[in-house]
Coordinates of all heavy atoms in Angstrom, one line a residue:
G1 N 25.1 -6.6 -58.9 CA 24.6 -5.6 -58.0 C 25.7 -4.8 -57.4 O 26.8 -5.1 -57.4
V2 N 25.3 -3.6 -56.9 CA 26.2 -2.7 -56.3 C 25.6 -2.2 -55.0 O 24.4 -1.9 -54.9 CB 26.4 -1.5 -57.2 CG1 27.3 -0.4 -56.6 CG2 26.9 -1.9 -58.6
I3 N 26.4 -2.1 -54.0 CA 25.9 -1.5 -52.7 C 25.6 0.0 -52.9 O 26.5 0.7 -53.3 CB 27.0 -1.7 -51.6 CG1 27.1 -3.2 -51.2 CG2 26.6 -0.9 -50.3 CD1 28.2 -3.5 -50.2
V4 N 24.4 0.3 -52.7 CA 23.9 1.7 -53.0 C 24.1 2.6 -51.8 O 24.5 3.8 -51.9 CB 22.5 1.7 -53.4 CG1 21.9 3.1 -53.6 CG2 22.3 0.9 -54.7
L5 N 23.8 2.0 -50.6 CA 23.8 2.9 -49.4 C 24.4 2.1 -48.2 O 24.0 1.0 -47.9 CB 22.4 3.3 -49.1 CG 22.2 4.2 -47.9 CD1 22.9 5.5 -48.0 CD2 20.7 4.4 -47.7
L6 N 25.4 2.7 -47.6 CA 26.0 2.2 -46.3 C 25.9 3.3 -45.3 O 26.5 4.4 -45.6 CB 27.4 1.7 -46.6 CG 28.2 1.1 -45.5 CD1 27.5 -0.2 -45.0 CD2 29.6 0.9 -45.9
Y7 N 25.3 3.1 -44.2 CA 25.2 4.2 -43.2 C 25.2 3.6 -41.8 O 25.0 2.4 -41.6 CB 23.9 5.0 -43.4 CG 22.6 4.3 -43.2 CD1 22.0 4.5 -41.9 CD2 22.0 3.5 -44.1 CE1 20.8 3.9 -41.7 CE2 20.8 2.9 -43.9 CZ 20.2 3.1 -42.6 OH 19.0 2.5 -42.4
E8 N 25.5 4.5 -40.9 CA 25.6 4.1 -39.4 C 24.5 5.0 -38.7 O 24.4 6.2 -38.9 CB 26.9 4.4 -38.9 CG 27.1 3.9 -37.5 CD 28.6 4.0 -37.0 OE1 29.3 4.9 -37.5 OE2 29.0 3.2 -36.2
K9 N 23.8 4.3 -37.9 CA 22.8 5.0 -37.1 C 22.7 4.4 -35.7 O 22.6 3.1 -35.5 CB 21.4 4.9 -37.7 CG 20.3 5.6 -37.0 CD 19.0 5.4 -37.7 CE 17.9 6.1 -36.9 NZ 16.6 5.9 -37.5
E10 N 22.9 5.2 -34.7 CA 22.9 4.7 -33.3 C 23.9 3.5 -33.1 O 23.5 2.5 -32.6 CB 21.5 4.4 -32.8 CG 20.6 5.6 -32.9 CD 19.2 5.3 -32.6 OE1 18.8 4.1 -32.3 OE2 18.4 6.3 -32.6
V11 N 25.1 3.6 -33.6 CA 26.2 2.7 -33.5 C 25.9 1.4 -34.3 O 26.8 0.5 -34.4 CB 26.4 2.3 -32.0 CG1 27.7 1.5 -31.8 CG2 26.5 3.5 -31.1
K12 N 24.8 1.3 -35.0 CA 24.6 0.1 -35.8 C 24.9 0.5 -37.3 O 24.6 1.6 -37.7 CB 23.1 -0.3 -35.7 CG 22.8 -0.9 -34.4 CD 21.3 -1.3 -34.3 CE 21.0 -1.8 -32.9 NZ 19.6 -2.1 -32.8
L13 N 25.5 -0.5 -38.0 CA 25.9 -0.2 -39.4 C 24.8 -0.9 -40.3 O 24.5 -2.1 -40.0 CB 27.3 -0.9 -39.7 CG 27.9 -0.6 -41.0 CD1 28.1 0.9 -41.2 CD2 29.2 -1.4 -41.2
Y14 N 24.4 -0.2 -41.3 CA 23.4 -0.7 -42.2 C 23.9 -0.7 -43.6 O 24.5 0.3 -44.0 CB 22.1 0.2 -42.2 CG 21.3 0.1 -40.9 CD1 21.7 0.9 -39.8 CD2 20.2 -0.7 -40.8 CE1 21.0 0.8 -38.6 CE2 19.5 -0.8 -39.6 CZ 19.9 0.0 -38.5 OH 19.2 0.0 -37.3
V15 N 23.6 -1.7 -44.4 CA 23.8 -1.7 -45.8 C 22.4 -1.8 -46.4 O 21.6 -2.7 -46.0 CB 24.7 -2.9 -46.3 CG1 24.2 -4.2 -46.0 CG2 24.9 -2.8 -47.8
A16 N 22.0 -0.9 -47.3 CA 20.7 -0.8 -47.8 C 20.6 -0.8 -49.3 O 21.6 -0.4 -49.9 CB 20.0 0.5 -47.2
D17 N 19.5 -1.3 -49.8 CA 19.3 -1.3 -51.2 C 17.9 -0.8 -51.5 O 17.0 -1.1 -50.8 CB 19.4 -2.8 -51.8 CG 19.6 -2.8 -53.3 OD1 20.3 -1.9 -53.8 OD2 18.9 -3.6 -53.9
Y18 N 17.8 0.0 -52.5 CA 16.5 0.5 -52.9 C 15.8 -0.4 -53.9 O 16.4 -1.0 -54.7 CB 16.7 1.9 -53.7 CG 17.2 3.0 -52.8 CD1 18.5 3.5 -53.0 CD2 16.5 3.5 -51.8 CE1 19.0 4.5 -52.2 CE2 17.0 4.5 -50.9 CZ 18.3 5.0 -51.2 OH 18.8 6.0 -50.4
K19 N 14.5 -0.6 -53.7 CA 13.7 -1.4 -54.6 C 12.5 -0.6 -55.1 O 12.0 0.3 -54.4 CB 13.2 -2.6 -53.8 CG 14.2 -3.6 -53.3 CD 15.0 -4.2 -54.4 CE 16.1 -5.2 -53.9 NZ 17.0 -5.6 -55.0
T20 N 12.1 -0.9 -56.3 CA 10.9 -0.2 -56.9 C 9.7 -1.1 -56.9 O 8.6 -0.7 -57.5 CB 11.2 0.3 -58.3 OG1 11.6 -0.8 -59.1 CG2 12.3 1.4 -58.2
D21 N 9.7 -2.3 -56.3 CA 8.6 -3.2 -56.3 C 7.4 -2.5 -55.6 O 7.6 -1.8 -54.7 CB 9.0 -4.5 -55.5 CG 10.2 -5.1 -56.0 OD1 11.1 -4.4 -56.5 OD2 10.4 -6.3 -55.8
R22 N 6.2 -2.9 -56.0 CA 5.0 -2.4 -55.3 C 4.7 -3.3 -54.1 O 4.1 -2.9 -53.2 CB 3.8 -2.4 -56.3 CG 4.0 -1.3 -57.4 CD 2.7 -1.3 -58.2 NE 3.0 -0.4 -59.4 CZ 2.9 0.9 -59.4 NH1 2.6 1.5 -58.3 NH2 3.1 1.6 -60.5
F23 N 5.1 -4.6 -54.2 CA 4.8 -5.6 -53.2 C 5.9 -5.6 -52.2 O 7.1 -5.7 -52.6 CB 4.6 -6.9 -53.8 CG 4.5 -8.0 -52.8 CD1 3.4 -8.2 -52.0 CD2 5.6 -8.9 -52.6 CE1 3.3 -9.2 -51.0 CE2 5.5 -9.9 -51.7 CZ 4.4 -10.1 -50.9
V24 N 5.6 -5.4 -50.9 CA 6.6 -5.4 -49.9 C 6.4 -6.7 -49.0 O 5.4 -6.8 -48.3 CB 6.6 -4.2 -49.0 CG1 7.6 -4.3 -47.9 CG2 6.7 -2.9 -49.8
P25 N 7.3 -7.7 -49.2 CA 7.1 -8.9 -48.4 C 7.3 -8.6 -46.9 O 8.3 -7.9 -46.6 CB 8.2 -9.9 -48.9 CG 9.1 -9.1 -49.8 CD 8.4 -7.8 -50.1
E26 N 6.5 -9.1 -46.1 CA 6.5 -8.8 -44.6 C 7.1 -10.0 -43.8 O 7.8 -9.7 -42.8 CB 5.1 -8.5 -44.1 CG 4.5 -7.3 -44.7 CD 5.1 -6.0 -44.3 OE1 5.8 -5.9 -43.2 OE2 5.0 -5.0 -45.0
D27 N 6.9 -11.2 -44.3 CA 7.4 -12.3 -43.5 C 8.8 -12.7 -43.8 O 9.3 -12.5 -45.0 CB 6.5 -13.5 -43.6 CG 6.5 -14.1 -45.0 OD1 5.8 -13.5 -45.9 OD2 7.1 -15.1 -45.3
S28 N 9.6 -13.1 -42.8 CA 11.0 -13.4 -43.0 C 11.3 -14.5 -44.0 O 12.3 -14.4 -44.7 CB 11.7 -13.6 -41.6 OG 11.1 -14.8 -41.1
S29 N 10.4 -15.5 -44.1 CA 10.7 -16.6 -45.1 C 10.7 -16.1 -46.5 O 11.5 -16.4 -47.3 CB 9.8 -17.7 -44.9 OG 8.5 -17.4 -45.1
T30 N 9.7 -15.2 -46.8 CA 9.6 -14.6 -48.2 C 10.8 -13.7 -48.4 O 11.4 -13.7 -49.5 CB 8.3 -13.9 -48.4 OG1 7.2 -14.8 -48.2 CG2 8.2 -13.3 -49.8
L31 N 11.1 -12.9 -47.4 CA 12.3 -12.0 -47.6 C 13.5 -12.8 -47.8 O 14.3 -12.4 -48.7 CB 12.4 -11.1 -46.3 CG 11.4 -10.0 -46.2 CD1 11.5 -9.4 -44.8 CD2 11.7 -8.9 -47.2
Q32 N 13.7 -13.8 -47.1 CA 14.9 -14.7 -47.2 C 15.0 -15.3 -48.5 O 16.0 -15.4 -49.2 CB 14.9 -15.7 -46.0 CG 16.2 -16.4 -45.9 CD 17.4 -15.5 -45.5 OE1 17.9 -14.9 -46.4 NE2 17.7 -15.5 -44.3
R33 N 13.9 -15.9 -49.0 CA 13.8 -16.5 -50.3 C 14.1 -15.6 -51.4 O 14.8 -15.9 -52.4 CB 12.5 -17.2 -50.4 CG 12.3 -18.1 -51.6 CD 11.0 -18.9 -51.7 NE 9.8 -18.1 -51.5 CZ 9.1 -18.0 -50.4 NH1 9.5 -18.7 -49.3 NH2 8.0 -17.3 -50.3
T34 N 13.5 -14.4 -51.4 CA 13.6 -13.4 -52.4 C 14.9 -12.6 -52.4 O 15.5 -12.4 -53.5 CB 12.4 -12.4 -52.4 OG1 11.2 -13.2 -52.3 CG2 12.4 -11.5 -53.6
Y35 N 15.4 -12.2 -51.3 CA 16.5 -11.3 -51.2 C 17.7 -11.9 -50.4 O 18.7 -11.2 -50.2 CB 16.1 -10.0 -50.6 CG 15.0 -9.3 -51.4 CD1 13.7 -9.2 -50.9 CD2 15.3 -8.7 -52.6 CE1 12.7 -8.6 -51.7 CE2 14.3 -8.1 -53.4 CZ 13.0 -8.0 -52.9 OH 12.0 -7.4 -53.6
G36 N 17.6 -13.1 -49.9 CA 18.6 -13.7 -49.0 C 20.0 -13.7 -49.7 O 21.0 -13.4 -49.0
H37 N 20.1 -14.1 -50.9 CA 21.4 -14.2 -51.6 C 22.0 -12.8 -51.7 O 23.2 -12.7 -51.4 CB 21.2 -14.8 -53.0 CG 22.4 -15.0 -53.8 ND1 23.3 -16.0 -53.4 CD2 23.0 -14.3 -54.8 CE1 24.4 -15.9 -54.3 NE2 24.2 -14.9 -55.1
Q38 N 21.3 -11.8 -52.1 CA 21.8 -10.5 -52.2 C 22.2 -10.0 -50.8 O 23.3 -9.4 -50.6 CB 20.8 -9.5 -52.7 CG 21.2 -8.1 -52.8 CD 20.1 -7.1 -53.2 OE1 18.9 -7.5 -53.3 NE2 20.5 -5.9 -53.5
A39 N 21.4 -10.3 -49.8 CA 21.8 -9.9 -48.4 C 23.1 -10.5 -47.9 O 23.9 -9.8 -47.3 CB 20.6 -10.3 -47.5
R40 N 23.3 -11.8 -48.2 CA 24.5 -12.4 -47.8 C 25.7 -11.8 -48.5 O 26.7 -11.6 -47.9 CB 24.4 -13.9 -48.1 CG 23.6 -14.7 -47.1 CD 23.7 -16.2 -47.3 NE 23.2 -16.6 -48.6 CZ 21.9 -16.8 -48.9 NH1 21.0 -16.6 -47.9 NH2 21.5 -17.2 -50.0
I41 N 25.6 -11.6 -49.8 CA 26.8 -11.1 -50.6 C 27.1 -9.7 -50.1 O 28.3 -9.4 -49.8 CB 26.4 -11.1 -52.1 CG1 26.4 -12.5 -52.6 CG2 27.5 -10.2 -52.8 CD1 25.9 -12.7 -54.0
Y42 N 26.1 -8.8 -49.9 CA 26.4 -7.4 -49.5 C 26.9 -7.4 -48.1 O 27.9 -6.6 -47.8 CB 25.1 -6.6 -49.6 CG 24.7 -6.2 -51.0 CD1 25.1 -6.9 -52.2 CD2 23.9 -5.1 -51.3 CE1 24.8 -6.5 -53.4 CE2 23.5 -4.7 -52.5 CZ 23.9 -5.5 -53.6 OH 23.6 -5.1 -54.9
T43 N 26.3 -8.1 -47.2 CA 26.8 -8.0 -45.8 C 28.2 -8.6 -45.7 O 29.0 -8.1 -44.9 CB 25.8 -8.7 -44.8 OG1 25.6 -10.0 -45.2 CG2 24.5 -7.9 -44.7
E44 N 28.5 -9.7 -46.4 CA 29.8 -10.3 -46.4 C 30.8 -9.3 -46.9 O 32.0 -9.2 -46.4 CB 29.8 -11.6 -47.1 CG 31.1 -12.3 -47.1 CD 31.6 -12.7 -45.7 OE1 30.8 -12.7 -44.8 OE2 32.8 -13.1 -45.6
A45 N 30.5 -8.6 -48.0 CA 31.5 -7.6 -48.6 C 31.8 -6.5 -47.6 O 32.9 -6.1 -47.4 CB 30.9 -7.0 -49.8
V46 N 30.8 -6.0 -46.9 CA 31.0 -5.0 -45.9 C 31.8 -5.6 -44.7 O 32.7 -4.9 -44.2 CB 29.6 -4.4 -45.4 CG1 29.8 -3.5 -44.2 CG2 29.0 -3.6 -46.6
R47 N 31.4 -6.8 -44.3 CA 32.1 -7.4 -43.1 C 33.6 -7.6 -43.4 O 34.4 -7.2 -42.6 CB 31.5 -8.8 -42.8 CG 32.1 -9.4 -41.5 CD 31.7 -10.8 -41.4 NE 32.3 -11.7 -42.4 CZ 33.5 -12.1 -42.4 NH1 34.4 -11.8 -41.5 NH2 34.0 -12.9 -43.4
R48 N 33.9 -8.0 -44.6 CA 35.3 -8.2 -45.0 C 36.1 -6.8 -45.1 O 37.2 -6.8 -44.8 CB 35.4 -8.9 -46.3 CG 35.1 -10.4 -46.2 CD 35.3 -11.1 -47.5 NE 34.8 -12.5 -47.4 CZ 35.0 -13.4 -48.3 NH1 35.7 -13.0 -49.5 NH2 34.6 -14.6 -48.2
S49 N 35.4 -5.8 -45.6 CA 36.0 -4.5 -45.8 C 36.2 -3.7 -44.5 O 37.2 -3.1 -44.3 CB 35.2 -3.7 -46.8 OG 35.1 -4.3 -48.0
L50 N 35.1 -3.7 -43.7 CA 35.1 -2.8 -42.5 C 35.3 -3.6 -41.2 O 35.3 -3.0 -40.2 CB 33.8 -2.0 -42.5 CG 33.6 -1.1 -43.7 CD1 32.3 -0.4 -43.6 CD2 34.7 -0.1 -43.9
H51 N 35.3 -4.9 -41.3 CA 35.4 -5.8 -40.1 C 34.3 -5.5 -39.1 O 34.5 -5.5 -37.9 CB 36.8 -5.6 -39.4 CG 37.9 -5.8 -40.4 ND1 38.2 -7.1 -40.9 CD2 38.7 -4.9 -41.0 CE1 39.2 -7.0 -41.7 NE2 39.5 -5.7 -41.8
R52 N 33.1 -5.3 -39.7 CA 31.9 -5.1 -38.9 C 30.7 -5.8 -39.6 O 30.7 -5.8 -40.8 CB 31.5 -3.6 -38.7 CG 32.5 -2.9 -37.9 CD 32.2 -1.4 -37.8 NE 30.8 -1.2 -37.2 CZ 30.2 0.0 -37.2 NH1 30.8 1.0 -37.8 NH2 29.1 0.2 -36.6
V53 N 29.8 -6.3 -38.9 CA 28.7 -7.0 -39.5 C 27.5 -6.1 -39.6 O 27.0 -5.6 -38.6 CB 28.3 -8.3 -38.7 CG1 27.1 -9.0 -39.3 CG2 29.4 -9.2 -38.6
P54 N 27.1 -5.7 -40.8 CA 26.0 -4.7 -40.9 C 24.6 -5.4 -40.9 O 24.5 -6.6 -41.1 CB 26.2 -4.1 -42.3 CG 26.8 -5.3 -43.1 CD 27.7 -6.0 -42.1
I55 N 23.6 -4.6 -40.8 CA 22.2 -5.1 -40.9 C 21.8 -4.8 -42.4 O 22.1 -3.7 -42.9 CB 21.3 -4.3 -39.9 CG1 21.7 -4.6 -38.5 CG2 19.8 -4.6 -40.2 CD1 21.2 -3.6 -37.5
F56 N 21.2 -5.7 -43.0 CA 20.8 -5.6 -44.4 C 19.3 -5.1 -44.5 O 18.4 -5.7 -43.9 CB 20.9 -6.8 -45.2 CG 20.6 -6.7 -46.7 CD1 21.5 -6.1 -47.5 CD2 19.4 -7.0 -47.2 CE1 21.3 -5.9 -48.9 CE2 19.1 -6.9 -48.6 CZ 20.1 -6.3 -49.4
Q57 N 19.1 -4.0 -45.1 CA 17.8 -3.3 -45.2 C 17.4 -3.0 -46.6 O 18.2 -2.7 -47.4 CB 17.9 -2.0 -44.4 CG 16.6 -1.2 -44.4 CD 16.9 0.2 -43.7 OE1 17.9 0.8 -43.8 NE2 15.9 0.6 -42.9
L58 N 16.1 -3.3 -46.9 CA 15.6 -2.9 -48.2 C 14.7 -1.7 -48.0 O 13.9 -1.7 -47.1 CB 14.7 -4.1 -48.8 CG 15.5 -5.3 -49.1 CD1 14.6 -6.5 -49.5 CD2 16.5 -5.1 -50.3
I59 N 14.8 -0.8 -48.9 CA 14.0 0.4 -48.9 C 13.1 0.4 -50.2 O 13.6 0.5 -51.3 CB 14.8 1.7 -48.8 CG1 15.7 1.7 -47.6 CG2 13.9 3.0 -48.8 CD1 16.8 2.7 -47.5
F60 N 11.8 0.3 -50.0 CA 10.9 0.2 -51.1 C 10.4 1.6 -51.4 O 9.6 2.2 -50.6 CB 9.7 -0.8 -50.8 CG 10.2 -2.2 -50.7 CD1 10.6 -2.7 -49.5 CD2 10.1 -3.0 -51.8 CE1 11.1 -4.1 -49.5 CE2 10.5 -4.3 -51.8 CZ 11.0 -4.9 -50.6
L61 N 10.8 2.1 -52.5 CA 10.5 3.5 -52.9 C 9.0 3.8 -53.2 O 8.5 4.8 -52.8 CB 11.4 3.9 -54.1 CG 12.9 3.8 -53.8 CD1 13.6 4.1 -55.1 CD2 13.3 4.8 -52.8
R62 N 8.3 2.9 -53.8 CA 6.9 3.1 -54.2 C 6.0 3.1 -53.0 O 4.9 3.7 -53.1 CB 6.5 2.1 -55.3 CG 7.2 2.3 -56.6 CD 6.7 1.2 -57.6 NE 7.5 1.3 -58.7 CZ 7.1 1.5 -60.0 NH1 5.8 1.6 -60.2 NH2 7.9 1.5 -61.0
T63 N 6.4 2.3 -52.0 CA 5.5 2.2 -50.9 C 6.0 2.9 -49.6 O 5.3 2.9 -48.6 CB 5.3 0.7 -50.5 OG1 6.6 0.1 -50.2 CG2 4.6 -0.1 -51.6
A64 N 7.2 3.5 -49.7 CA 7.8 4.2 -48.6 C 7.9 3.4 -47.4 O 7.7 3.8 -46.2 CB 7.0 5.5 -48.3
K65 N 8.3 2.1 -47.6 CA 8.5 1.2 -46.4 C 9.9 0.7 -46.5 O 10.5 0.6 -47.6 CB 7.5 0.0 -46.5 CG 6.1 0.4 -46.3 CD 5.2 -0.9 -46.2 CE 3.8 -0.5 -45.9 NZ 3.0 -1.6 -45.6
S66 N 10.4 0.3 -45.3 CA 11.7 -0.4 -45.3 C 11.6 -1.6 -44.4 O 10.8 -1.6 -43.5 CB 12.8 0.6 -44.7 OG 12.6 0.9 -43.4
V67 N 12.3 -2.6 -44.8 CA 12.3 -3.9 -44.0 C 13.8 -4.4 -43.9 O 14.6 -4.2 -44.7 CB 11.5 -5.0 -44.7 CG1 10.0 -4.6 -44.7 CG2 11.9 -5.2 -46.1
V68 N 14.0 -5.0 -42.8 CA 15.3 -5.7 -42.5 C 15.2 -7.1 -43.0 O 14.2 -7.8 -42.7 CB 15.7 -5.6 -41.0 CG1 16.9 -6.4 -40.7 CG2 15.9 -4.1 -40.7
V69 N 16.2 -7.5 -43.8 CA 16.2 -8.9 -44.2 C 17.2 -9.7 -43.3 O 18.4 -9.3 -43.2 CB 16.7 -9.0 -45.7 CG1 16.8 -10.5 -46.1 CG2 15.8 -8.2 -46.6
P70 N 16.7 -10.7 -42.6 CA 17.6 -11.5 -41.8 C 18.7 -12.2 -42.7 O 18.3 -12.8 -43.7 CB 16.7 -12.5 -41.1 CG 15.3 -12.3 -41.6 CD 15.4 -11.2 -42.6
V71 N 19.9 -12.2 -42.2 CA 21.0 -12.8 -43.0 C 21.4 -14.1 -42.3 O 21.7 -14.1 -41.1 CB 22.2 -11.8 -43.2 CG1 23.3 -12.5 -43.9 CG2 21.7 -10.6 -43.9
E72 N 21.4 -15.1 -43.1 CA 21.9 -16.4 -42.6 C 23.1 -16.9 -43.4 O 23.1 -16.9 -44.6 CB 20.8 -17.5 -42.8 CG 19.5 -17.2 -42.0 CD 18.4 -18.1 -42.3 OE1 18.6 -19.1 -43.1 OE2 17.3 -17.9 -41.8
F73 N 24.2 -17.1 -42.6 CA 25.4 -17.5 -43.3 C 25.6 -19.0 -43.2 O 25.1 -19.7 -42.4 CB 26.6 -16.8 -42.6 CG 26.7 -15.4 -42.9 CD1 26.2 -14.4 -42.0 CD2 27.2 -14.9 -44.1 CE1 26.2 -13.1 -42.3 CE2 27.2 -13.5 -44.4 CZ 26.8 -12.6 -43.5

């Protein structure tokens, strides 16, 4: 994987990834199970590079929804 988008909004840093899935998981346990590994790797890479802890966000293109994936280290 590759970090596609890194942005700052209202002093918060976000690392985001685009998804083309039609299904958008809403509960945190499904998000963690499905995308937790990717979230940990991406947020850790940004943390080590920029010395800031970002929020990991998924942007679902087909449904025009975005969700934050909780990161557990």
Side-chain angles (χ1 to χ4, degrees):
V2 178
I3 293 174
V4 174
L5 179 62
L6 181 65
Y7 69 96
E8 187 173 29
K9 182 179 178 184
E10 299 174 2
V11 191
K12 294 179 182 176
L13 186 64
Y14 292 83
V15 59
D17 193 43
Y18 295 111
K19 298 295 181 192
T20 57
D21 308 26
R22 291 186 191 277
F23 171 72
V24 180
E26 298 288 339
D27 64 283
S28 61
S29 63
T30 302
L31 285 168
Q32 190 64 279
R33 187 173 54 256
T34 308
Y35 301 106
H37 182 73
Q38 179 186 11
R40 282 188 299 279
I41 290 171
Y42 284 23
T43 55
E44 182 62 15
V46 171
R47 188 191 66 77
R48 288 182 185 190
S49 300
L50 301 179
H51 307 288
R52 292 177 61 190
V53 178
I55 297 165
F56 185 77
Q57 178 183 38
L58 294 172
I59 301 168
F60 291 87
L61 299 174
R62 292 177 190 239
T63 58
K65 291 187 178 188
S66 67
V67 293
V68 170
V69 178
V71 178
E72 298 174 3
F73 291 99

